[in-house]
Amino acid sequence: CRAGSCHACLVRCQGDIQDNQPDALSPAQRQDGWRLACQCQVAGDLQVEAFDPLRDGLPATVLSVDWLTPSVLRLRLQPERGLRYRAGQHLVLWAGSVARPYSLASLPQEDPFLEFHIDCRLPGEFSDAARQFKAGDSLRLGELRGGALQYDPDWQSRPLWLLASGTGLGPLWGVLREALRHDH
Ligand code: FES
C-alpha cells in the first residue's frame, strides 16, 4: 500500500532511522525495533532485518476453505494461540513469502476461528495460492493492526448504515454481529 496501512513491509531495525508514521505500530512493537519500511527514511548507519514469516509470524492451520460465490473464497483459520482483535480489523496473511492484508469477518467473542473472505476474481500471487489452500495446510499470520473500522457501543441508539460491496462485506458482517451483540 505504501501508506502505512497494510503492514506487509514490516522490518526490524537498529540504528539511525526517521519514522514518519510512528503511531502506525504499537509502542511494544516499536520498542522491539519493528518499523514500516514504507514510512521510514534511513538517516545513518542502520541494521535492517526483513519480517520472516517462518520466524516472526504466528502459525495458523487452515480449518476450511469454501467458495461463497464462484470468486469469493471463505477461509477459516485456527491460529496457534488466541488473538485479541476487534470486529472489522485486518490481519496480514502470509502464503510462503507473499503477504496480503485481509479483513476479519469473524467475531472474537463468538467464533472459535479467524474468518477471511478472499477475492479471487483476478489472478494474483496470493489469490492464486489461496485457490490451492486445503484443510490442514499451514499459514503464517503477521501482526495485528488497529484498524479504524469498528463498532462503538455508544452508537446503540443511532441508526447504523453499513455500506460495502464485494468482499468489503466481510468485515461489515463482523461489525454487524458485534452491533447485534450489543443489542443495537
Ligand atoms: S507497504 Fe503497506 S504499510 Fe508499508
Side-chain angles (χ1 to χ4, degrees):
C1 71
R2 300 184 187 181
S5 65
C6 76
H7 291 202
C9 64
L10 264 185
V11 288
R12 196 181 237 158
C13 307
Q14 246 187 359
D16 215 354
I17 193 160
Q18 183 190 323
D19 190 342
N20 297 324
Q21 212 192 125
D23 294 338
L25 297 176
S26 69
Q29 288 169 321
R30 286 204 307 276
Q31 182 75 27
D32 278 352
W34 292 109
R35 296 288 184 277
L36 297 175
C38 71
Q39 298 302 308
C40 292
Q41 281 167 331
V42 177
D45 285 348
L46 191 68
Q47 259 190 345
V48 185
E49 235 182 311
F51 181 93
D52 178 347
L54 287 179
R55 183 195 55 203
D56 306 315
L58 174 65
T61 306
V62 175
L63 288 179
S64 63
V65 179
D66 301 291
W67 290 95
L68 298 178
T69 74
S71 61
V72 177
L73 187 77
R74 183 180 68 190
L75 178 65
R76 287 184 171 166
L77 300 178
Q78 183 70 62
E80 194 179 82
R81 61 174 161 75
L83 278 178
R84 298 180 66 167
Y85 67 96
R86 291 191 312 265
Q89 284 193 302
H90 70 246
L91 262 181
V92 175
L93 303 186
W94 288 82
S97 60
V98 184
R100 294 286 183 276
Y102 285 101
S103 293
L104 285 145
S106 44
L107 196 57
Q109 297 83 357
E110 302 209 350
D111 297 324
F113 47 75
L114 304 175
E115 179 170 315
F116 305 88
H117 298 172
I118 315 258
D119 185 350
C120 293
R121 255 176 320 159
L122 300 173
E125 273 192 272
F126 193 94
S127 53
D128 290 350
R131 288 174 181 280
Q132 311 301 324
F133 288 162
K134 52 187 186 322
D137 282 356
S138 183
L139 251 72
R140 299 285 160 155
L141 306 176
E143 46 74 58
L144 269 179
R145 169 155 178 19
L149 179 59
Q150 62 170 308
Y151 177 75
D152 185 336
D154 286 349
W155 298 339
Q156 257 171 1
S157 58
R158 303 186 203 171
L160 184 66
W161 284 29
L162 300 170
L163 304 176
S165 64
T167 48
L169 289 166
L172 295 194
W173 174 240
V175 169
L176 171 67
R177 291 171 64 212
E178 180 69 355
L180 292 173
R181 211 175 65 82
H182 283 91
D183 293 326
H184 193 114

